[in-house]
Amino acid sequence: EIGISVVQGENAPVAQLRYTAVVAAGSQDISQVIHLAASRQAHGGFRWWFSCPACQARMGVLYLPPGEVHFGCRRCHGLRRRSWRGTH
């Protein structure tokens, strides 16, 4: 279960995550702050992005792979995209 609250940070909103990560020694309660950034859309409004805590890249999705304790982007966790091509 992940608890999330969005609050105003010093310069921009941040998401405060609270969750329990399963690690080799059992479980660990984690509190992680994720910075948020907005970009204007061509037809009005905004799109919100996560800032990867490790590399600060603007991302639409952050991941928490098995065995990890902090969220991060695909690149920082060394995750690869699945191929869209099937083997025939």
Side-chain angles (χ1 to χ4, degrees):
E1 182 175 311
I2 298 174
I4 183 170
S5 58
V6 178
V7 298
Q8 182 62 39
E10 290 181 29
N11 299 320
V14 296
Q16 295 178 329
L17 305 178
R18 287 177 199 78
Y19 53 95
T20 301
V22 177
V23 294
S27 62
Q28 184 177 354
D29 290 332
I30 303 291
S31 179
Q32 185 176 11
V33 174
I34 307 290
H35 293 269
L36 303 175
S39 61
R40 290 190 184 274
Q41 298 296 290
H43 300 288
F46 292 91
R47 173 164 180 187
W48 287 95
W49 303 89
F50 298 109
S51 179
C52 175
C55 69
Q56 286 72 48
R58 190 171 67 177
M59 297 288 164
V61 176
L62 294 177
Y63 298 89
L64 182 64
E68 296 290 338
V69 295
H70 291 102
F71 281 85
C73 71
R74 181 185 301 272
R75 180 178 36 207
C76 289
H77 280 303
L79 300 175
R80 296 182 163 208
R81 294 180 188 264
R82 279 205 242 180
S83 173
W84 288 101
R85 296 183 201 173
T87 54
H88 299 304

